[in-house]
């Protein structure tokens, strides 16, 4: 089969489109013919070695959708079932051996691209807005990179929860997209001081929660955007890692809460995985949630997809087609 691997780890130029043997499904695994794979920043981190992978060359792709073509021992899912999954690596390939516990059934009326694209960032937006800081009507959140993959979905789910949404973005085009998906206010954080803008918009009160995927360039100022006892949710680092912080800062800035969550811990329980996936799919089918797929690339062109993502050129979701 064809697969896209990082060999060796490094820049996008190290991505190689090669022939490898299709994996054999082991105990507890299903072999899935991959129809679509989502592109995520986590793939960049495995490509560069920022996140360590045990195998060489490094297999990429942390979400996908396709059809089960074979199963290993002790797997009850039927061959021919349409499925989607995340947090199991190897979807940048024609076939992937996926733990059956990670698979969710993909409804017939949701396409493979939508299914693949909704899993990682969609379930992330779900756990952030429903579990990490369950938003209530009347609350206000600040969403950084609000036109990004995770960002656009957080904006929409925050609105579904009845919250007021302030989104930061780098360009006016991105601002328009975030507003079209429900953001009440947008801030061009490359031109405007987002702290001053948040203070102005909230009448000096600050926001209840910050959902921050940007990290290094936004983290510290975001703490000042919070109301007393507000929550800082630092869930990513697209601008670079945040680095160490002194817990005393949280006290000085208003008895703040800080969390650094990971999707894995919010879907490790099968009930959580299936609850989040079924709500996502229901919202997509009902038109209450829109998955903005900016571009689908052939799998062989994954390097360009990575360049676009890292270069801040993208909005919403990127997909690879094997
Ligand atoms: P995005 O689609 O949001 O792309 C990144 C965006 O970040 C860019 O479009 C850009 O938006 C903004 N950005 C700001 N500064 C930079 C910079 N220096 N370089 C690149 N981008 C920058 O990506 P994802 O939604 O896939 O992921 C965002 C982050 O969230 C990643 O760090 C990812 O690992 C993390 N994440 C964490 C999860 C978790 O469970 N903890 C789950 C999902 C994602 P703009 O141009 O508007 O500034």
């Amino acid at each position: 089969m064809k697969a896209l691997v990082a060999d060796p780890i490094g820049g996008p130029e190290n991505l190689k489109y090669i022939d490898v043997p299709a994996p054999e499904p082991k105990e507890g695994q299903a072999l899935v013919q991959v129809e679509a794979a989502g592109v995520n920043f986590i793939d960049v981190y495995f490509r560069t070695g920022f996140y360590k992978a045990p195998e060489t060359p490094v297999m990429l792709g942390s979400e996908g959708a396709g059809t089960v073509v074979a199963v290993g021992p002790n797997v009850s899912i039927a061959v021919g079932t349409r499925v989607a999954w995340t947090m199991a690596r190897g979807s940048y390939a024609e076939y992937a051996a996926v733990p059956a516990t990670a698979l969710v059934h993909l409804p017939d009326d949701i396409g493979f691209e939508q299914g693949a694209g909704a899993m990682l960032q969609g379930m992330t937006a779900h756990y952030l807005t429903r579990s990490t800081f369950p938003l209530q009507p009347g609350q206000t959140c600040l969403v950084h990179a609000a036109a990004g993959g995770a960002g656009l979905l957080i904006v929409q789910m925050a609105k579904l929860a009845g919250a007021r949404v302030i989104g930061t973005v780098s360009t006016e085009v991105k601002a328009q997209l975030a507003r079209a998906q429900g953001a009440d206010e947008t801030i061009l954080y490359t031109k405007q001081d987002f702290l001053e803008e948040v203070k102005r918009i909230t009448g000096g009160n600050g926001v209840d929660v910050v959902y921050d995927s940007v990290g290094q360039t936004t983290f510290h100022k975001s703490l000042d955007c919070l109301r007393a006892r507000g929550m800082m949710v630092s869930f990513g680092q697209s601008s670079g890692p945040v680095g160490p912080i002194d817990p005393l800062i949280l006290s000085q800035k208003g008895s703040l809460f800080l969390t650094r969550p990971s999707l894995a811990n919010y879907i490790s329980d099968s009930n959580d995985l299936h609850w989040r996936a079924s709500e996502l799919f229901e919202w997509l089918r009902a038109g209450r949630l829109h998955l903005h797929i900016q571009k689908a690339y052939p799998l062989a062109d994954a390097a360009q997809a990575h360049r676009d993502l890292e270069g801040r050129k993208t909005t919403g979701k990127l997909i690879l087609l094997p």
Side-chain angles (χ1 to χ4, degrees), residues 280-304:
L280 260 182
F281 293 153
E282 266 171 46
W283 290 336
L284 285 171
R285 294 158 95 183
R288 300 181 73 202
L289 184 72
H290 175 67
L291 183 69
H292 172 83
I293 297 181
Q294 191 199 4
K295 192 167 172 186
Y297 303 70
L299 177 58
D301 293 348
Q304 190 56 48

Side-chain angles (χ1 to χ4, degrees), residues 8-294:
I9 54 172
E13 66 283 0
N14 290 7
L15 292 178
K16 300 208 171 84
Y17 186 59
I18 58 168
D19 287 299
V20 292
E24 293 281 328
K26 299 195 182 85
E27 165 107 18
Q29 291 182 332
L31 184 67
V32 182
Q33 183 170 5
V34 181
E35 300 287 348
V39 178
N40 293 282
F41 243 94
I42 193 170
D43 308 334
V44 171
Y45 300 143
F46 277 109
R47 191 203 72 213
T48 60
F50 180 62
Y51 288 174
K52 308 288 176 223
E55 76 282 356
T56 317
V58 174
M59 298 292 290
L60 296 178
S62 291
E63 70 181 342
T67 307
V68 174
V69 291
V71 294
N74 295 321
V75 174
S76 57
I77 194 159
V79 167
T81 307
R82 299 171 84 249
V83 291
W85 71 94
T86 185
M87 300 314 271
R89 236 159 359 93
S91 62
Y92 283 20
E94 289 178 307
Y95 294 90
V98 184
T101 50
L103 294 173
V104 298
H105 179 248
L106 184 64
D108 288 343
D109 55 355
I110 296 189
F112 288 117
E113 292 185 27
Q114 292 270 315
M119 292 298 289
L120 195 153
Q121 291 158 338
M123 286 203 288
T124 296
H126 190 281
Y127 84 72
L128 292 173
T129 57
R130 296 294 181 274
S131 303
T132 307
F133 187 95
L135 280 166
Q136 305 295 324
Q139 291 183 321
T140 304
C141 63
L142 175 63
V143 182
H144 287 306
L152 267 184
L153 293 164
I154 297 170
V155 167
Q156 294 177 70
M157 288 188 208
K159 290 311 295 178
L160 284 176
R164 182 184 190 204
V165 178
I166 306 171
T168 61
V169 287
S170 64
T171 67
E172 186 49 47
V173 171
K174 290 186 177 189
Q176 279 170 18
L177 183 59
R179 284 198 297 270
Q181 297 302 337
D184 299 284
E185 307 275 352
T186 50
I187 302 169
L188 293 181
Y189 58 177
T190 39
K191 296 196 178 111
Q192 297 167 287
D193 181 331
F194 73 81
L195 172 57
E196 275 177 24
E197 286 301 301
V198 166
K199 281 189 176 154
R200 181 185 63 76
I201 292 165
T202 62
N205 292 328
V207 297
D208 297 277
V209 57
V210 180
Y211 298 114
D212 184 5
S213 66
V214 174
Q216 200 170 80
T217 58
T218 48
F219 180 87
H220 287 282
K221 209 181 255 192
S222 293
L223 298 178
D224 295 315
C225 293
L226 286 161
R227 65 159 166 82
R229 292 185 283 148
M231 183 181 282
M232 177 68 189
V233 182
S234 172
F235 72 96
Q237 57 270 314
S238 52
S239 70
V242 170
I245 72 148
D246 178 352
L248 197 57
I249 285 178
L250 302 175
S251 154
Q252 290 162 347
K253 292 188 185 283
S255 303
L256 304 178
F257 294 86
L258 168 64
T259 182
R260 193 351 181 148
S262 167
L263 174 59
N265 300 116
Y266 284 86
I267 54 170
S268 53
D269 181 294
S270 144
N271 291 330
D272 282 343
L273 170 68
H274 291 281
W275 166 51
R276 297 191 199 289
S278 64
E279 284 212 341
L280 260 182
F281 293 153
E282 266 171 46
W283 290 336
L284 285 171
R285 294 158 95 183
R288 300 181 73 202
L289 184 72
H290 175 67
L291 183 69
H292 172 83
I293 297 181
Q294 191 199 4

